[in-house]
Amino acid sequence: MTLSLRPGRIGIESLENQVGYLFRVGQSASRTYRRKRIVFPAPPIPETPHVEPGLPDAFGRLTMRQRSALVLIHVNGMAERDVADAMGISRAAVRTHAQRGLSKLRDGDSSGSPIRTGSHPD
């Protein structure tokens, strides 16, 4: 059996253990076929949270301060004092803007219908 890898190189005929050499070559070559391929599952697609269809329009009817107070308190979960510092107004003003904004969202105003939500724990 004669196997020469490249011209001018020593071939397999000069090896002492030719069978062992061929065994090792075959073993190494087969590892790539036997090796299990790691397949990662596709990442789950995050669900889009349910948003009341009329909510964007209702938020558009609020003043900027009412909208800011509501989003910072109820969406971001900030405390009233932190919202007051961020907006540069007093805590009482933050509370008033948030209450008036919620009232507009619940009751609606002349330009829209009220937004009905589930029961509120307060």
Side-chain angles (χ1 to χ4, degrees):
M1 174 183 274
T2 303
L3 174 65
S4 180
L5 302 175
R6 290 191 183 140
R9 297 267 180 155
I10 299 173
I12 194 169
E13 63 273 350
S14 65
L15 294 176
E16 291 181 20
N17 186 2
Q18 296 174 355
V19 176
Y21 173 77
L22 289 175
F23 175 78
R24 183 62 65 192
V25 169
Q27 186 182 41
S28 297
S30 70
R31 282 188 182 137
T32 59
Y33 295 109
R34 288 188 311 164
R35 188 175 299 149
K36 290 184 179 181
R37 302 284 181 211
I38 298 174
V39 179
F40 294 102
I45 299 172
E47 293 184 26
T48 304
H50 173 72
V51 175
E52 179 68 33
L55 191 60
D57 291 335
F59 260 89
R61 290 191 299 269
L62 300 178
T63 66
M64 180 61 80
R65 287 193 173 191
Q66 290 172 347
R67 187 171 38 247
S68 298
L70 285 176
V71 169
L72 291 174
I73 293 171
H74 295 287
V75 176
N76 293 345
M78 292 175 67
E80 285 181 355
R81 76 176 165 291
D82 296 332
V83 174
D85 291 340
M87 293 176 66
I89 57 178
S90 68
R91 287 177 61 184
V94 169
R95 190 175 310 116
T96 300
H97 288 304
Q99 288 173 345
R100 287 181 183 169
L102 282 175
S103 177
K104 274 188 182 180
L105 290 177
R106 286 185 185 130
D107 302 334
D109 59 2
S110 60
S111 63
S113 60
I115 301 295
R116 297 290 174 213
T117 60
S119 62
H120 195 273
D122 290 336

